[in-house]
Amino acid sequence: QVRLVESGGGSVQAGGSLRLSCTASISSTYTYSRYYMGWFRQAPGQAREGVACIEPYGSTRYTDSVKGRFTISRDNAKNTLYLEMDSLKPEDTAMYYCAASRSNCLVVMIGRFDYWGQGTQVTVSS
């Protein structure tokens, strides 16, 4: 089993920055370093959207709307995933969730994963 806990959300003005963190607690021999880890977001009344994903060995994928502004990274020694968000826009406002998959980043980006957290709210004002 995997428990994911996100932190770091908040309210910022457009152009500002936030850093999200996600710490994983794992009670199996399938280690954190083997998981494909990602972030997805969901705004009220909108569909879930895959934001970014990082493979076990560090390759990354981003949805087009955040490329050049967001950076996903992981610290396998700390079982922690990060999302550095710069140049934030009002349209980035959403609940952000951390997700883990044993499959690959393609499925993470389309919203299919094995585990996800409770989310952290990001609000960007104009």
Side-chain angles (χ1 to χ4, degrees):
Q1 292 293 330
V2 177
R3 180 170 178 259
L4 302 172
V5 178
E6 302 94 338
S7 62
S11 297
V12 296
Q13 291 191 326
S17 298
L18 283 173
R19 188 192 197 203
L20 306 184
S21 298
C22 169
T23 300
S25 298
I26 300 176
S27 58
S28 77
T29 57
Y30 198 94
T31 60
Y32 174 81
S33 63
R34 298 173 64 185
Y35 279 95
Y36 294 78
M37 299 297 300
W39 293 93
F40 70 96
R41 63 188 179 186
Q42 189 164 24
Q46 296 189 19
R48 186 165 55 190
E49 177 187 30
V51 175
C53 183
I54 184 167
E55 299 183 351
Y57 293 104
S59 295
T60 58
R61 293 174 181 264
Y62 299 91
T63 192
D64 286 346
S65 62
V66 307
K67 285 180 181 177
R69 301 189 299 120
F70 290 13
T71 303
I72 189 171
S73 61
R74 65 192 297 166
D75 185 337
N76 290 336
K78 297 181 179 180
N79 284 12
T80 301
L81 179 73
Y82 304 99
L83 185 67
E84 183 73 38
M85 304 186 295
D86 298 318
S87 302
L88 282 161
K89 304 175 180 180
E91 51 264 42
D92 294 318
T93 295
M95 185 72 80
Y96 283 71
Y97 299 86
C98 171
S101 171
R102 296 189 179 190
S103 299
N104 55 66
C105 272
L106 288 177
V107 299
V108 172
M109 294 299 286
I110 63 172
R112 297 178 185 173
F113 20 77
D114 301 306
Y115 304 97
W116 60 95
Q118 294 299 306
T120 185
Q121 178 68 39
V122 172
T123 303
V124 185
S125 58
S126 57

